[in-house]
Amino acid sequence: VSILLDGVDEYIKEEDLKECSQKASQIQKKLLEDKDESRVLGWRTLEESAVGLDVMRKKAEEIRKMADVFVIVGVGGSNQAARAMIEALKEERKGPEILYLGNTLSPYTISHTLEKLEGKSVYIDVIAKNFETLEPGSHFRILRQWMRKRYTKQEMANRIIVTGTVGSRLEEIAKEQGYLFLQFPVSVGGRYSAFTPVGLFPIMVAGLDEREFLNGVLTAMEDCKKNDENIAIQYAAVRNLLYQKHYDIEMLVSFEPQYAYLEKWWVQLFGESEGKDKKGSFPACAIYSEDLHSMGQYIQQGVRMLMETVISVGKPHYQVQIPSDAANLDKLNFLAGKRVDEVNKMAELGTQIAHVDGGVPNMKVCMPALTAQYIGQLFYFFELACGISGSMLGVNPFDQPGVEAYKNNMF
């Protein structure tokens, strides 16, 4: 995974970028090498984050064989990374249908999800770091009641997996009821949990290649340790310089609808990490080219407060060719013989040129192909960049005190 910065050249001076990159490099060194006194940096190593792999692989294999439906019960960081990867690589999925609960309090969603479970072999994974959030907690109760009417206590114990921290109420429930307990490392926050059991177990159940994914994470970890000009440092430095110039909104965009949940994962990562003390870029996302026909006018000519980061994937999974038409009724024969992905790339290039010319600084994060390996690299790159960027802002990128306000009011 690499980054192209030619779309910010006219907005940032070279000497400013060099100085800011040096600061980012110093912060990275502290993040990767200092002792983890606050126990929030467990994502730095796979030894501390990717725990219990053999247990997860065995259970995931059973679920792929026995389940019709696998329900992930979690909200925010407890399901975003897994859902991002499962949706991005959905053509490679194997095993059961995957549904999501615990991320809403909508009676419509809960009712229709329960309807989809009728007559199916169901397994669930309840993911909650401290089990103190109402959405997944209430949905777990509803699902337990639903399962009691269909399975014996022993069958339920085999079909319910819980992922939480050691010592939490969720672990106590697992011991009391005989559920399989997977560890949510206490030193990893939810939005940084892509390569812990929180993210790994669901992608295993989906039949995706977790070894390739973890190899990608490891490759990125090693590169960032050795390389003082790695993409996490470059990205953090550029977005901070642009923020200082009052580009207060960052849009993450792509030209593939299947990346939508990957973008939502990024929105949470940066929004929850940086939005403190009246600081931080506002993270937003869009899918082009559809959103170019809804938001494009504003992006092109609205208030100049936007910066844009494009996720660009080189090699597509599918190839569709535009045919020739002898009558040329639509006057589009100039496209005959071209692949749709070629046209998509020209839309991407044309959009970048238009937006940069219109006053929108543009960065491009390039993935050679959409694979588990490169998604692993991307996740680690963004997580490290977020830690660096938040620290440069002067906020703690690993807490989320503001999230509790709505919860307290709701209770």
Side-chain angles (χ1 to χ4, degrees), residues 1 5 18 30 38 42 58 99 103-105 152 174 179 196 214 225 243 250 264 327 342 385 400 404 411:
V1 178
L5 301 176
K18 184 176 181 180
K30 289 178 65 65
S38 301
K58 183 178 179 181
L99 300 177
N103 54 353
T104 176
L105 289 170
T152 65
Y179 305 152
T196 73
L214 290 174
K225 283 179 183 176
Y243 177 70
E250 180 177 6
K264 289 188 70 172
E342 292 180 86
Q400 54 282 336
E404 301 306 316
F411 286 130

Side-chain angles (χ1 to χ4, degrees), residues 121-135:
S121 172
V122 176
Y123 284 69
I124 70 172
D125 179 17
V126 182
I127 308 169
K129 188 168 186 179
N130 299 313
F131 201 51
E132 295 172 350
T133 303
L134 188 63
E135 291 90 340

Side-chain angles (χ1 to χ4, degrees), residues 295-302 304 306 351 353-360:
M295 292 293 292
Q297 174 61 43
Y298 189 94
I299 295 167
Q300 191 68 38
Q301 295 184 325
R304 298 299 78 191
L306 296 169
T351 301
I353 294 169
H355 287 182
V356 172
D357 288 347
V360 181

Side-chain angles (χ1 to χ4, degrees), residues 185-227:
V186 70
S187 60
V188 181
R191 59 191 180 277
Y192 291 88
S193 64
F195 24 97
T196 73
V198 174
L200 288 171
F201 185 62
I203 70 173
M204 289 179 185
V205 172
L208 300 176
D209 193 337
E210 84 284 352
R211 290 180 172 86
E212 184 185 347
F213 173 69
L214 290 174
N215 282 338
V217 174
L218 191 59
T219 297
M221 286 179 171
E222 292 172 349
D223 178 64
C224 289
K225 283 179 183 176
K226 296 174 184 176
N227 182 1

Side-chain angles (χ1 to χ4, degrees), residues 33 112 118 152 198 214 228 237 258 271 323 337 358:
E33 297 180 7
H112 281 265
E118 287 299 335
T152 65
V198 174
L214 290 174
D228 285 340
Q258 71 198 77

Side-chain angles (χ1 to χ4, degrees), residues 68-275:
D68 298 315
V69 179
F70 178 66
V71 184
I72 300 173
V73 184
V75 65
S78 294
N79 70 14
Q80 293 277 41
R83 193 170 192 176
M85 186 165 167
I86 290 167
E87 292 299 319
L89 298 177
K90 54 188 173 185
E91 71 277 0
E92 298 178 18
R93 277 177 43 183
K94 305 167 190 172
E97 179 183 6
I98 296 178
L99 300 177
Y100 301 87
L101 274 180
N103 54 353
T104 176
L105 289 170
S106 160
Y108 173 90
T109 300
I110 297 169
S111 297
H112 281 265
T113 302
L114 292 176
E115 287 175 8
K116 291 179 181 179
L117 303 183
E118 287 299 335
K120 306 285 182 63
S121 172
V122 176
Y123 284 69
I124 70 172
D125 179 17
V126 182
I127 308 169
K129 188 168 186 179
N130 299 313
F131 201 51
E132 295 172 350
T133 303
L134 188 63
E135 291 90 340
S138 60
H139 288 202
F140 183 26
R141 173 178 283 210
I142 291 167
L143 280 169
R144 286 201 313 276
Q145 183 184 55
W146 184 92
M147 294 180 82
R148 283 194 195 105
K149 297 175 182 178
R150 291 153 182 85
Y151 301 115
T152 65
K153 185 175 181 179
Q154 185 176 356
E155 287 173 328
M156 281 181 64
N158 187 54
R159 290 172 178 271
I160 296 175
I161 300 93
V162 295
T163 305
T165 50
V166 172
S168 67
R169 179 57 188 149
L170 206 52
E171 185 190 26
E172 294 173 356
I173 292 172
K175 288 177 180 178
E176 293 165 5
Q177 302 298 322
Y179 305 152
L180 175 63
F181 176 78
L182 300 178
Q183 188 176 342
F184 194 141
V186 70
S187 60
V188 181
R191 59 191 180 277
Y192 291 88
S193 64
F195 24 97
T196 73
V198 174
L200 288 171
F201 185 62
I203 70 173
M204 289 179 185
V205 172
L208 300 176
D209 193 337
E210 84 284 352
R211 290 180 172 86
E212 184 185 347
F213 173 69
L214 290 174
N215 282 338
V217 174
L218 191 59
T219 297
M221 286 179 171
E222 292 172 349
D223 178 64
C224 289
K225 283 179 183 176
K226 296 174 184 176
N227 182 1
D228 285 340
E229 297 180 352
N230 65 67
I231 59 174
I233 287 173
Q234 293 181 64
Y235 178 64
V238 169
R239 67 193 306 275
N240 270 267
L241 284 171
L242 291 170
Y243 177 70
Q244 292 171 29
K245 293 177 181 289
H246 305 292
Y247 291 97
D248 295 331
I249 297 174
E250 180 177 6
M251 292 188 65
L252 186 74
V253 305
S254 70
F255 282 74
E256 284 287 355
Q258 71 198 77
Y259 306 162
Y261 282 96
L262 198 157
E263 293 183 12
K264 289 188 70 172
W265 169 82
W266 173 90
V267 165
Q268 179 183 359
L269 177 66
F270 280 89
E272 196 169 14
S273 297
E274 291 192 330

Side-chain angles (χ1 to χ4, degrees), residues 335-350:
L335 294 174
K338 292 189 180 298
R339 300 192 312 272
V340 173
D341 62 278
E342 292 180 86
V343 180
N344 205 25
K345 284 298 179 191
M346 290 303 99
E348 183 182 298
L349 177 58

Side-chain angles (χ1 to χ4, degrees), residues 308-362:
E308 192 171 47
T309 300
V310 181
I311 296 178
S312 180
V313 179
K315 186 179 179 182
H317 276 291
Y318 297 101
Q319 291 190 1
V320 178
Q321 194 172 69
I322 299 173
S324 180
D325 179 1
N328 197 21
L329 295 174
D330 48 22
K331 307 300 182 186
L332 292 176
N333 266 355
F334 69 95
L335 294 174
K338 292 189 180 298
R339 300 192 312 272
V340 173
D341 62 278
E342 292 180 86
V343 180
N344 205 25
K345 284 298 179 191
M346 290 303 99
E348 183 182 298
L349 177 58
T351 301
Q352 180 186 19
I353 294 169
H355 287 182
V356 172
D357 288 347
V360 181
N362 188 288

